[in-house]
Amino acid sequence: MTGIVALYIFMLAAFTGYEVISRVPVILHTPLMSGSNFVHGIVLVGAMVALGGAHTPLEKTIGFIGVLLAAGNAVGGYVVTERMLEMFKASGARARGGKSSDQSSDQSSDQSSGQRTS
């Protein structure tokens, strides 16, 4: 009976997660992704704890696969978040290597004020 209940909970969580995520507006995706990366880190720690408590070769194999998948999920989440944040930068800032237009204008005004004409 426990396996059926666990399968039911898994299916219910998968359906609920799909329904919730599919209704998230695009503008909120990046902040939610950042928060979910935190959860992926906790999943990774849990997988490592489970692997540490494994005794049989089957348990160790399943634990290793869990750690591998959790690590890939966490790293992938950070990569996707970084790529999405790059989309919000001004196109000129990307061409200058990440400096914003405010920083470059401040530098140019400092340089021009340092030079005095006689």
Side-chain angles (χ1 to χ4, degrees), residues 98-116:
K99 291 184 181 177
S100 69
S101 59
D102 293 338
Q103 290 174 342
S104 62
S105 65
D106 289 343
Q107 289 174 354
S108 63
S109 65
D110 290 343
Q111 290 172 355
S112 64
S113 65
Q115 298 173 353
R116 295 185 183 194

Side-chain angles (χ1 to χ4, degrees), residues 45-71:
V45 170
M48 289 189 293
V49 168
L51 178 60
H55 298 292
T56 67
L58 178 64
E59 290 174 348
K60 290 179 182 180
T61 302
I62 292 172
F64 177 75
I65 291 170
V67 168
L68 200 65
L69 291 174

